[in-house]
């Protein structure tokens, strides 16, 4: 039942999560470099929050993956910081904790339900980040950020595919 609730929450919160990853556009305007940088910083914050959430729960499988994703987020942020400084962008980083990271309940910390919830919470975040990068690449306004987006898209697509497969297997 908790898995069903987690999945329903994931779909309901997709619109809110899309906004939290910087997917803000007026009409059909493609996202700007600032929108993309802001969205990716927020995505990284989600991954860091997810690691903190797993630290409280003790499941080794999800702890290891969360640590790996948080490390990747730190590397992504470092590269983004260089691009941000080069173009003088002032990203909007949300101060609130991401909804997805708090969706995993402590009482399910050792079972397959917890593992499924862990992966389910990531999917809408990945999809929002991917959609943001795809939108940006339709009309990029910075060559360095466009190259970065093209480099990140296959990685993010692979990771969301892994999360979907693992969730289905559990």
């Amino acid at each position: 039942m908790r898995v069903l609730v987690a999945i329903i929450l994931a779909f309901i919160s997709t619109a809110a999560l899309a906004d939290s990853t910087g997917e803000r556009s007026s009409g059909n305007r493609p996202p700007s470099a600032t929108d993309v940088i802001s969205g990716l910083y927020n995505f990284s914050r989600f991954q860091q929050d997810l690691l903190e959430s797993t630290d409280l729960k003790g499941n080794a499988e999800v702890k290891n993956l969360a640590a790996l994703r948080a490390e990747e987020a730190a590397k992504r942020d470092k590269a983004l910081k260089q691009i941000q400084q080069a173009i003088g962008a002032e990203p909007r980083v949300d101060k609130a904790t991401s909804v997805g990271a708090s969706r995993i309940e402590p009482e399910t910390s050792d079972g397959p339900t917890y593992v499924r919830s862990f992966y389910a919470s990531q999917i809408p975040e990945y999809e929002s980040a991917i959609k943001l990068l795809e939108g940006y690449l339709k009309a990029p306004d910075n060559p360095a950020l466009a190259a970065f987006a093209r480099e990140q898209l296959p990685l993010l697509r692979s990771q969301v595919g892994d999360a979907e497969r693992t969730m289905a297997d559990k």
Side-chain angles (χ1 to χ4, degrees):
M1 181 66 179
R2 288 187 179 150
V3 171
L4 181 60
V5 170
I7 292 171
I8 290 171
L9 284 174
F11 288 114
I12 291 172
S13 64
T14 299
L17 293 172
D19 188 49
S20 78
T21 58
E23 205 175 305
R24 299 176 183 110
S25 61
S26 334
N28 290 333
R29 178 185 69 81
S32 67
T34 301
D35 294 334
V36 171
I37 292 170
S38 298
L40 290 177
Y41 279 151
N42 286 325
F43 179 62
S44 293
R45 170 169 265 141
F46 166 79
Q47 290 182 309
Q48 293 291 338
D49 290 346
L50 202 58
L51 174 60
E52 291 172 19
S53 172
T54 61
D55 283 345
L56 300 173
K57 299 182 182 60
N59 183 298
E61 176 185 355
V62 295
K63 259 188 181 181
N64 292 336
L65 181 64
L68 176 64
R69 296 298 183 246
E71 184 179 315
E72 292 166 350
K75 288 177 185 176
R76 183 176 51 245
D77 285 356
K78 186 176 180 181
L80 275 175
K81 185 71 171 173
Q82 293 174 350
I83 296 169
Q84 173 193 343
Q85 290 173 340
I87 64 176
E90 288 296 325
R92 298 172 304 274
V93 179
D94 292 343
K95 299 294 180 197
T97 301
S98 179
V99 175
S102 63
R103 220 181 344 227
I104 302 171
E105 298 179 18
E107 53 271 2
T108 61
S109 65
D110 290 327
T113 301
Y114 172 74
V115 175
R116 286 180 57 83
S117 297
F118 171 80
Y119 287 103
S121 70
Q122 295 179 61
I123 293 170
E125 293 285 343
Y126 271 103
E127 289 172 347
S128 293
I130 290 167
K131 186 175 179 181
L132 179 67
L133 292 177
E134 289 172 340
Y136 179 73
L137 288 174
K138 290 179 182 174
D141 59 359
N142 180 277
L145 185 58
F148 180 81
R150 281 190 289 277
E151 175 186 302
Q152 289 295 306
L153 267 174
L155 178 65
L156 295 176
R157 286 180 182 137
S158 171
Q159 291 173 353
V160 76
D162 291 346
E164 290 169 337
R165 281 186 300 280
T166 302
M167 192 176 83
D169 290 344
K170 299 291 176 184

